[in-house]
Amino acid sequence: MAQRGEGPDFIEALARGLDVIRAFHADHPRMTLAEVAAATGLARPTARRILLTLEELGYVRATAGGHELTPRVLELGMAYVGALSLWDMARPHMERLVAATGESSSITQLDGSDIVYLARVAVPKIIALRVQIGTRFPAAVTSQGKVLLAALPPARLDEVLATPSRSGIEPWVRHSRATLDTMLREVNARGFAVADNELAPGIRSVAVPIRDGRGEVRAAMNVTVNSAETTTKTLLDRHLPHLQRAAGAISSDWALWQSRPQLDLPART
């Protein structure tokens, strides 16, 4: 639990909410109510009310095994990315990728049925939709979203697809569940996903997974092109190999970061 302020304007309820958010970390990404209460020193009824409030605000989601943070924590000053050191690891590889392809590249994670942009290196190109850190798009019509959806177990996939999008974007194409399931099987077989004028006209992209040290898919990385300028063949034959190498390098760096030596000293009393 964080040290408490002593000023007359100190808000205890806000401090408790931040205690709950900080209780989640790499070794405990998913926690039960009892675990949250124990980690924060809060009474279980208090911890429960805070978790329900954070869930309603979109910063926490309930799962079969307890609760976990969502990428919406990005809105609290990029703390989510900073905790993972994702940008520090990804930036040099993304910059080399963009220099090799001449096209923009982004990294996203799944939040509900949307992808959320966490990192981006862009080149000046005319595309139909503006993208910045925190932008949300419906996952099922994006290459990155397909990669992330394909990594989910069936029960979790059903749950995610049943969640309404919060992107505010009406996709150019809507896939039936049967069509999407076929696409996701192909993604798992090939190791990459393509989206061709599905999110909006003129946007074509290819994406691959970024994995952690346990081999779990933690994010997706893409190359996006203007479909009027770049054919699917060029995207796959020329740009995909560069993308796969970059994502592989980031995955390796992530695994090394996870295996770093770390010593937790006892708090001073």
Side-chain angles (χ1 to χ4, degrees):
M1 187 185 300
Q3 182 178 356
R4 288 299 186 249
E6 299 177 355
D9 297 321
F10 185 80
I11 303 174
E12 181 70 24
L14 175 59
R16 290 175 174 176
L18 294 175
D19 283 341
V20 169
I21 290 175
R22 283 192 291 263
F24 295 89
H25 52 83
D27 293 331
H28 293 92
R30 184 177 297 111
M31 302 176 72
T32 65
L33 171 59
E35 289 170 335
V36 171
T40 58
L42 297 171
R44 288 184 59 162
T46 301
R48 177 179 178 275
R49 288 196 299 271
I50 292 173
L51 285 170
L52 290 175
T53 299
L54 291 172
E55 183 178 353
E56 188 169 342
L57 292 173
Y59 297 117
V60 166
R61 59 175 162 241
T63 69
H67 296 82
E68 61 187 17
L69 296 181
T70 76
R72 193 171 185 182
V73 177
L74 279 167
E75 297 173 2
L76 303 178
M78 298 296 288
Y80 185 72
V81 174
L84 298 176
S85 297
L86 178 57
W87 174 241
D88 291 337
M89 288 184 288
R91 180 175 180 175
H93 303 297
M94 295 181 74
E95 289 177 341
R96 284 193 288 270
L97 171 63
V98 170
T101 62
E103 304 290 352
S104 299
S105 178
S106 303
I107 292 177
T108 66
Q109 287 187 316
L110 199 63
D111 182 22
S113 61
D114 296 329
I115 56 169
V116 179
Y117 281 73
L118 305 181
R120 180 167 171 81
V121 176
V123 296
K125 294 273 186 174
I126 298 176
I127 61 172
L129 296 172
R130 181 182 177 186
V131 176
Q132 58 189 7
I133 302 304
T135 293
R136 310 173 71 92
F137 289 138
V141 290
T142 66
S143 59
Q144 292 165 300
K146 293 174 187 177
V147 165
L148 296 169
L149 292 173
L152 297 177
R156 178 63 177 151
L157 177 62
D158 291 340
E159 180 183 343
V160 166
L161 293 178
T163 305
S165 170
R166 294 194 284 121
S167 68
I169 300 296
E170 185 67 26
W172 185 251
V173 172
R174 286 191 177 276
H175 300 303
S176 69
R177 180 59 191 271
T179 298
L180 181 60
D181 285 344
T182 299
M183 289 180 174
L184 299 184
R185 285 194 295 270
E186 292 175 351
V187 171
N188 279 326
R190 299 183 304 185
F192 66 88
V194 174
D196 195 356
N197 296 287
E198 297 171 42
L199 178 62
I203 299 178
R204 177 175 289 145
S205 66
V206 61
V208 297
I210 294 175
R211 301 178 184 273
D212 64 13
R214 295 179 292 273
E216 297 178 1
V217 176
R218 296 292 299 272
M221 183 177 182
N222 79 344
V223 169
T224 303
V225 301
N226 186 319
S227 61
E229 298 176 352
T230 305
T231 64
T232 301
K233 178 175 173 56
T234 297
L235 183 65
L236 298 182
D237 291 352
R238 185 178 303 172
H239 297 335
L240 177 58
H242 291 292
L243 174 62
Q244 290 170 324
R245 283 193 290 272
I250 295 171
S251 297
S252 296
D253 287 352
W254 200 329
L256 287 172
W257 182 83
Q258 285 182 310
S259 64
R260 73 200 186 285
Q262 182 170 319
L263 176 64
D264 293 325
L265 296 176
R268 292 183 179 179
T269 59

